[in-house]
Amino acid sequence: MKYLFFPSLDSTNSYCKREYERLDDSTLVYTYHQTQGKGRLGRRWEDDEGSLLFSILLKKDLAEERVPLLSLLCSSALFLTLRDENIPSLIKWPNDVLVEEKKVSGILLESVISERLDALILGIGINVNNEKFPDDIKEKATSLFLQTGKRFDKKRLLENYVSHFEKLYSDYQRGKDTFLTILKENSYLDGKQVSLNYYGENKEGVVLGIKENGNLLLKGKKGIFEVQSGEVTLENSYHKRSNAL
Ligand code: BTN
């Protein structure tokens, strides 16, 4: 992995998108502050000096059909990084990591497609030393500092994340999906009643698990079904709004 650091950027994802042609495969761009941090579904991603913000640019050997698995791989790498710090977490399909049911990170995958898939950008924001969050998200967001009372060296955490990512990614490239085992064993949604928006359609069911292809498997009123992506909302729980981040 090659590291590129900027004290401030509009967004590490946007930077990778603009510069992908001249940047090498496996370049990691990180910054202390983003002026236009992007979240999923067109939302903004706010940060403060406690946040760890980076994007990994991938250009080689990209198999389009296996791309959705990569956000699961990023979440699994974070799970392992937190485990090394003795912070138990759970992975909420498809791309959130929760500590004590609160979101500690965000993952935004973006692609550059011309005739084929030219580049993939894996953008990751981790709440590390953040002391507080804006009112509208403070019920559902947390940081490693708020969970442990300890401050973390962000660069060390980043390097540990990268070492987990590289191992999982090299297995993935060889067709060995180690990250799926981690995910399946530490999945937050298993057994939960959820509803989700799947391409504009509302679907409900109990989560049975995660399949080898990374899809979420559910049991609904009409039987078993699976979804490839979607915004999951928990039913009958005060975390019903947990995806509004
Ligand atoms: C989410 O909505 O949960 C995804 C948030 C992703 C935020 C990260 S921070 C680094 C990278 N650059 C961005 O602009 N967004 C991602």
Side-chain angles (χ1 to χ4, degrees), residues 177-192:
D177 290 335
T178 317
F179 69 93
L180 273 177
T181 312
I182 296 162
L183 184 65
K184 285 178 181 171
E185 286 170 2
N186 301 284
S187 165
Y188 173 72
L189 289 177
D190 278 14
K192 294 204 164 70

Side-chain angles (χ1 to χ4, degrees), residues 16-152:
C16 289
K17 251 186 164 173
R18 284 196 300 274
E19 304 290 337
Y20 81 92
E21 278 175 301
R22 62 169 197 87
L23 295 177
D24 288 326
D25 174 52
S26 296
T27 297
L28 185 148
V29 177
Y30 78 106
T31 188
Y32 286 157
H33 173 55
Q34 297 185 138
T35 53
Q36 291 177 59
K38 296 190 281 186
R40 293 173 64 221
L41 306 170
R43 296 174 189 136
R44 279 184 64 91
W45 181 263
E46 305 293 346
D47 62 73
D48 64 29
E49 64 279 6
S51 317
L52 174 54
L53 311 158
F54 60 99
S55 300
I56 297 173
L57 173 72
L58 300 173
K59 304 208 297 187
K60 273 198 199 138
D61 306 324
L62 301 173
E64 228 161 303
E65 66 289 352
R66 283 175 32 92
V67 164
L69 291 171
L70 285 175
S71 60
L72 304 175
L73 190 151
C74 289
S75 303
S76 300
L78 181 54
F79 169 87
L80 294 177
T81 309
L82 298 185
R83 194 176 66 181
D84 290 345
E85 305 296 330
N86 295 316
I87 302 174
S89 67
L90 288 172
I91 302 166
K92 182 172 172 226
W93 182 97
N95 41 17
D96 287 337
V97 175
L98 307 182
V99 177
E100 290 187 359
E101 308 225 354
K102 289 186 171 186
K103 184 162 154 151
V104 78
S105 65
I107 296 172
L108 176 68
L109 251 70
E110 293 192 86
S111 50
V112 182
I113 303 169
S114 52
E115 269 142 46
R116 57 187 177 87
L117 179 59
D118 287 333
L120 255 187
I121 297 147
L122 316 175
I124 299 151
I126 309 173
N127 303 330
V128 179
N129 294 325
N130 311 61
E131 292 178 11
K132 54 182 170 24
F133 291 94
D135 281 350
D136 54 329
I137 59 167
K138 69 176 184 213
E139 297 300 316
K140 31 198 175 167
T142 191
S143 70
L144 305 188
F145 169 72
L146 290 174
Q147 290 302 129
T148 62
K150 284 193 302 192
R151 299 204 181 271
F152 292 81

Side-chain angles (χ1 to χ4, degrees), residues 159 191 217:
E159 284 165 357
L217 193 67

